[in-house]
Amino acid sequence: MQRFIITVAAAGLLATGVNAQSAQNGSHNPVVKDGSPKTIAAPAKGANSFTENQARGRFAKAGYSSLSKLTKANGLWQGTAMKGGKQLSVMLDYKGNITAH
């Protein structure tokens, strides 16, 4: 009987750990990025620590070419670039997200 109680208690602890782990996997943490650039509607405001070369690399990885001289203002890297045959104003926020208009 004692062995049965220990077995049931151990199974309960294992099931609780699995549930807690799957809840963490489905959570959204905007600070943790997968590294791929995302195009969004509006840039996030905040201090930007990307260097100009890193910013250029993010734009290139997202498919932008002919990038003009980039300037950094209000925490955003800004410039113009070509994508899909169109010249666009582009911005890169501190999270690595790209905004194009």
Side-chain angles (χ1 to χ4, degrees):
M1 181 67 164
Q2 187 177 14
R3 185 181 271 180
F4 176 74
I5 293 172
I6 292 173
T7 304
V8 170
L13 288 174
L14 287 173
T16 304
V18 170
N19 287 338
Q21 197 171 33
S22 63
Q24 288 175 345
N25 291 341
S27 69
H28 175 70
N29 185 348
V31 176
V32 177
K33 300 293 286 179
D34 63 5
S36 63
K38 307 276 191 283
T39 302
I40 59 171
K45 296 188 184 332
N48 194 319
S49 63
F50 286 106
T51 65
E52 183 176 352
N53 284 337
Q54 289 171 328
R56 286 184 178 281
R58 298 290 287 196
F59 287 119
K61 192 173 183 180
Y64 293 92
S65 62
S66 302
L67 194 60
S68 70
K69 183 176 183 198
L70 290 177
T71 58
K72 189 168 155 183
N74 299 322
L76 299 171
W77 281 104
Q78 303 173 42
T80 57
M82 297 290 290
K83 186 171 185 179
K86 296 180 183 177
Q87 185 171 358
L88 304 164
S89 295
V90 293
M91 290 181 271
L92 178 75
D93 67 15
Y94 79 98
K95 293 182 177 182
N97 297 318
I98 295 172
T99 305
H101 301 285

